[in-house]
Amino acid sequence: MRASSAHVDVDRSRYPVKGIDVSAHNGAVNYARVAADTVSFVLAKASEGVSFRDKKFVMNVESARRQGLRTGAYHFFRFDTPGFRQAQNFLRAVDGVVLDFPLIIDVEEWGNAETFTTAEVVAELREMIDCLNEAGRKVMIYTNKSGYDRFIRFRFDDLPLWVCSLRHEPATSVGWSLWQHSHKGHVHGVVGDVDLNTFNGDNEEFLDFLFKNT
């Protein structure tokens, strides 16, 4: 595979299941063209913190599903707000929306204040996960290497992991299920750059993963 700035080319003979993640920043997406470009799944931003909702979330999911794409939702975790309130916001955002993936919490230092200790962040994250579980929802974590090492490793290893690694394939010891390998991908139906992802397995294993985790 070839690595460049914010992008790794993936060997599709090894990793045939391709996906994208989107938010309102990607604008209007033509999901018929996306589906025709060998994309299998779409992960859409739903919410952030205690009140923010992505204005294109429902449209992104429903439009993608009409084209036969598997769909998921993610929430950007804020260090400065209570975990249970973030869970409530996420649950309200996805209420009534059909999804194939577990609910995904995006945990990363980027975009968050540096004043919070690891213990404080972990406590609020655990509270959010517990609230989602109590509501009957399974959870998946998105993070990068620094976020994994600081917040996730040895604490939430039982949860499926979506990891961002833009220069090389993640280590097998991480136990990743999804790999975000580009912030500069190009897919038919999306204007400009889009994040690219891959599943750690073949198509049959992908469907089995979805069945077991939703």
mmCIF file of all heavy atoms in Angstrom, residues 77 121-131 155-156:
data_model
loop_
_atom_site.group_PDB
_atom_site.id
_atom_site.type_symbol
_atom_site.label_atom_id
_atom_site.label_comp_id
_atom_site.label_asym_id
_atom_site.label_seq_id
_atom_site.Cartn_x
_atom_site.Cartn_y
_atom_site.Cartn_z
ATOM 1 N N PHE A 77 -17.649 13.357 20.713
ATOM 2 C CA PHE A 77 -17.634 13.440 22.166
ATOM 3 C C PHE A 77 -16.893 14.678 22.639
ATOM 4 O O PHE A 77 -15.736 14.908 22.274
ATOM 5 C CB PHE A 77 -16.973 12.179 22.727
ATOM 6 C CG PHE A 77 -16.965 12.091 24.222
ATOM 7 C CD1 PHE A 77 -18.104 11.700 24.909
ATOM 8 C CD2 PHE A 77 -15.826 12.396 24.942
ATOM 9 C CE1 PHE A 77 -18.098 11.616 26.289
ATOM 10 C CE2 PHE A 77 -15.808 12.311 26.322
ATOM 11 C CZ PHE A 77 -16.953 11.925 27.002
ATOM 12 N N VAL A 121 -12.027 12.512 31.478
ATOM 13 C CA VAL A 121 -12.583 12.160 30.169
ATOM 14 C C VAL A 121 -13.112 10.738 30.185
ATOM 15 O O VAL A 121 -14.227 10.463 29.715
ATOM 16 C CB VAL A 121 -11.523 12.341 29.063
ATOM 17 C CG1 VAL A 121 -12.059 11.845 27.722
ATOM 18 C CG2 VAL A 121 -11.103 13.808 28.956
ATOM 19 N N VAL A 122 -12.334 9.823 30.731
ATOM 20 C CA VAL A 122 -12.741 8.420 30.775
ATOM 21 C C VAL A 122 -14.028 8.250 31.586
ATOM 22 O O VAL A 122 -14.916 7.479 31.199
ATOM 23 C CB VAL A 122 -11.610 7.548 31.350
ATOM 24 C CG1 VAL A 122 -12.112 6.144 31.678
ATOM 25 C CG2 VAL A 122 -10.450 7.478 30.368
ATOM 26 N N ALA A 123 -14.152 8.965 32.690
ATOM 27 C CA ALA A 123 -15.357 8.854 33.525
ATOM 28 C C ALA A 123 -16.595 9.296 32.767
ATOM 29 O O ALA A 123 -17.652 8.636 32.822
ATOM 30 C CB ALA A 123 -15.180 9.678 34.797
ATOM 31 N N GLU A 124 -16.513 10.399 32.037
ATOM 32 C CA GLU A 124 -17.666 10.895 31.285
ATOM 33 C C GLU A 124 -17.973 9.980 30.094
ATOM 34 O O GLU A 124 -19.135 9.745 29.751
ATOM 35 C CB GLU A 124 -17.435 12.325 30.811
ATOM 36 C CG GLU A 124 -17.326 13.341 31.932
ATOM 37 C CD GLU A 124 -18.551 13.408 32.829
ATOM 38 O OE1 GLU A 124 -19.665 13.021 32.393
ATOM 39 O OE2 GLU A 124 -18.394 13.843 33.990
ATOM 40 N N LEU A 125 -16.927 9.461 29.478
ATOM 41 C CA LEU A 125 -17.132 8.530 28.367
ATOM 42 C C LEU A 125 -17.804 7.256 28.864
ATOM 43 O O LEU A 125 -18.745 6.756 28.225
ATOM 44 C CB LEU A 125 -15.790 8.197 27.712
ATOM 45 C CG LEU A 125 -15.809 7.168 26.575
ATOM 46 C CD1 LEU A 125 -16.736 7.609 25.445
ATOM 47 C CD2 LEU A 125 -14.393 6.935 26.056
ATOM 48 N N ARG A 126 -17.361 6.745 29.980
ATOM 49 C CA ARG A 126 -17.983 5.544 30.534
ATOM 50 C C ARG A 126 -19.451 5.803 30.871
ATOM 51 O O ARG A 126 -20.313 4.954 30.647
ATOM 52 C CB ARG A 126 -17.224 5.090 31.777
ATOM 53 C CG ARG A 126 -17.665 3.713 32.282
ATOM 54 C CD ARG A 126 -16.810 3.256 33.448
ATOM 55 N NE ARG A 126 -15.401 3.167 33.116
ATOM 56 C CZ ARG A 126 -14.855 2.149 32.454
ATOM 57 N NH1 ARG A 126 -15.616 1.139 32.042
ATOM 58 N NH2 ARG A 126 -13.558 2.134 32.212
ATOM 59 N N GLU A 127 -19.730 6.989 31.402
ATOM 60 C CA GLU A 127 -21.112 7.340 31.724
ATOM 61 C C GLU A 127 -21.970 7.375 30.461
ATOM 62 O O GLU A 127 -23.103 6.871 30.454
ATOM 63 C CB GLU A 127 -21.146 8.702 32.419
ATOM 64 C CG GLU A 127 -22.544 9.132 32.852
ATOM 65 C CD GLU A 127 -22.506 10.446 33.606
ATOM 66 O OE1 GLU A 127 -22.420 11.509 32.942
ATOM 67 O OE2 GLU A 127 -22.564 10.416 34.850
ATOM 68 N N MET A 128 -21.429 7.924 29.386
ATOM 69 C CA MET A 128 -22.175 7.975 28.132
ATOM 70 C C MET A 128 -22.440 6.579 27.601
ATOM 71 O O MET A 128 -23.563 6.255 27.182
ATOM 72 C CB MET A 128 -21.412 8.805 27.101
ATOM 73 C CG MET A 128 -22.161 8.936 25.783
ATOM 74 S SD MET A 128 -21.328 9.998 24.591
ATOM 75 C CE MET A 128 -22.558 9.963 23.248
ATOM 76 N N ILE A 129 -21.422 5.741 27.609
ATOM 77 C CA ILE A 129 -21.588 4.365 27.132
ATOM 78 C C ILE A 129 -22.634 3.631 27.957
ATOM 79 O O ILE A 129 -23.504 2.934 27.417
ATOM 80 C CB ILE A 129 -20.236 3.634 27.164
ATOM 81 C CG1 ILE A 129 -19.290 4.231 26.113
ATOM 82 C CG2 ILE A 129 -20.429 2.127 26.913
ATOM 83 C CD1 ILE A 129 -17.858 3.765 26.248
ATOM 84 N N ASP A 130 -22.560 3.777 29.275
ATOM 85 C CA ASP A 130 -23.536 3.110 30.149
ATOM 86 C C ASP A 130 -24.957 3.562 29.836
ATOM 87 O O ASP A 130 -25.887 2.741 29.815
ATOM 88 C CB ASP A 130 -23.207 3.392 31.615
ATOM 89 C CG ASP A 130 -21.967 2.647 32.102
ATOM 90 O OD1 ASP A 130 -21.524 1.720 31.397
ATOM 91 O OD2 ASP A 130 -21.446 3.013 33.175
ATOM 92 N N CYS A 131 -25.132 4.864 29.590
ATOM 93 C CA CYS A 131 -26.474 5.383 29.278
ATOM 94 C C CYS A 131 -26.992 4.816 27.959
ATOM 95 O O CYS A 131 -28.169 4.457 27.850
ATOM 96 C CB CYS A 131 -26.446 6.906 29.220
ATOM 97 S SG CYS A 131 -26.258 7.712 30.820
ATOM 98 N N ARG A 155 -9.325 -0.099 28.794
ATOM 99 C CA ARG A 155 -10.538 0.380 29.456
ATOM 100 C C ARG A 155 -11.806 -0.040 28.717
ATOM 101 O O ARG A 155 -12.791 -0.433 29.344
ATOM 102 C CB ARG A 155 -10.498 1.904 29.584
ATOM 103 C CG ARG A 155 -9.361 2.444 30.445
ATOM 104 C CD ARG A 155 -9.446 3.950 30.530
ATOM 105 N NE ARG A 155 -8.422 4.522 31.403
ATOM 106 C CZ ARG A 155 -7.219 4.927 30.981
ATOM 107 N NH1 ARG A 155 -6.908 4.828 29.679
ATOM 108 N NH2 ARG A 155 -6.343 5.422 31.837
ATOM 109 N N PHE A 156 -11.761 0.076 27.399
ATOM 110 C CA PHE A 156 -12.945 -0.221 26.589
ATOM 111 C C PHE A 156 -12.611 -1.216 25.475
ATOM 112 O O PHE A 156 -13.141 -1.138 24.373
ATOM 113 C CB PHE A 156 -13.515 1.075 25.997
ATOM 114 C CG PHE A 156 -13.856 2.119 27.025
ATOM 115 C CD1 PHE A 156 -13.021 3.209 27.236
ATOM 116 C CD2 PHE A 156 -15.001 1.998 27.803
ATOM 117 C CE1 PHE A 156 -13.332 4.170 28.190
ATOM 118 C CE2 PHE A 156 -15.317 2.948 28.759
ATOM 119 C CZ PHE A 156 -14.482 4.040 28.961
#
